Amino acid sequence: MKINFKNLTVQVISGIILGIIVGAIFPEFGAQLKVLADIFIKLIKMLIAPIIFLTVVIGIGSMGNLKKVGKIGGKALIYFEIVSSIALAIGLIVVNLIQPGKGLNTDGLKAGDVSQYTQQAAESEHGFVNFIMDIIPENVVGALANGQLLPVLFSAVLFGLAAASIGEKAKPVISFFENVAEIFFKIVNMVMKISPLAAFGAMAYTIGNFGLSSLTSLGKLMGSVYLTMFLFVILVLGGIAKFYGFNIFKFLAYIKEEILLVLGTSSSESALPGIMKRLENYGCSKQVVGLVVPTGYSFNLDGTSIYLSMAAIFIAQAYGVDLSLGQELLLLGILMLTSKGAAGVTGSGFITLAATLAAFPMIPVAGIALLLGVDRFMSEARAITNLIGNSVATVVISKMENEFNPPLELAKDKNNKNDTNHEAI
């Protein structure tokens, strides 16, 4: 079989493999290549705020029906809360069964400086009132300029609702925004050309900086996290997908380019523009995609939820803190609050974990130092799970609202499968 090196998927895979090789053979040089990934992610982040603003406004404004907007948004938020809570609970169950932190010698393990994370966690004040206040921007332009996801989303929803209520008069504005959005997506296509280079730099940095041997002591936690996320995707998201009439394995194959991009860059944000287009091509309406995907990036972080619950209990196990069932349920409740909006915080994994432990004094906050060496490896798993979770959610909400119209080839394949009594796509 001839390999097509012009294919972006092949290029990204090649970049990942080469990055691992370079990082292993030339660790010092590999550690310096992080700049390649940083440049790519910065280019993507430059585009995320305007793309989210435009797509949400287009999605809501073009509906012209405020009742429908509220219905879709309400269903999406309920779905997010249920599924992310299941993710938190699964993380707690698996980490208690495997107990990766039990017996770990915390005195002999090299600790890192975590002051920056604990300080940011204290400054962020993850209380409910502060969370709401942080959603409301000082001004719309400032939110767009700073790339603050939640304030941009809030502003876009208000703008879209206002446009939908005006009706016909707002159509020229919505049409203009659609044209502007097309330009931004064209820029995304241009930026994506260097994604294999970014994947190469990110993997070379990861292997060169941390090495493979340093993972031995914490490998059990990594294995537990990867296993949990795999089970969550296949069993929970797979079960949801089957209930709504599509196959999780075929769906994962369909979005493989975005998954590989996230694997290479360790950032789910890098795939945001691409996954929105991909879901539209899959059959989800532009309106649902424009509303559900950006909202999901703030409220439906399944992978982050799993990571947070497992990391917190891992630290407790490492320090010999025996938590009762009531205390773990309390921790679960705190995580349900602190995990919301984590995508809007730089270094969200550590900062959100530090904020959670600060509100739960039974577990020492300094324990997050145990995770510094391997967090980079686990971040890929949680970013991929976040991406898959939001993609499945968009298809589900589209099907709930009868806003799903698959392209002809998918519809034909579905009919053929039904005729032969096989599972539908």
Side-chain angles (χ1 to χ4, degrees), residues 307-369:
Y307 168 79
L308 289 173
S309 60
M310 296 189 74
I313 299 298
F314 170 80
I315 293 171
Q317 292 171 353
Y319 280 86
V321 178
D322 189 19
L323 298 176
S324 67
L325 178 60
Q327 288 173 325
E328 290 202 12
L329 290 175
L330 175 60
L331 177 63
L332 181 64
I334 295 171
L335 283 167
M336 286 173 67
L337 175 63
T338 56
S339 62
K340 298 297 180 289
V345 183
T346 303
S348 60
F350 273 152
I351 296 168
T352 306
L353 181 59
T356 303
L357 299 184
F360 192 80
M362 283 79 83
I363 303 175
V365 178
I368 63 175

Side-chain angles (χ1 to χ4, degrees), residues 190-202:
M190 295 163 62
V191 173
M192 290 302 294
K193 300 290 185 184
I194 66 168
S195 60
L197 197 60
F200 165 73

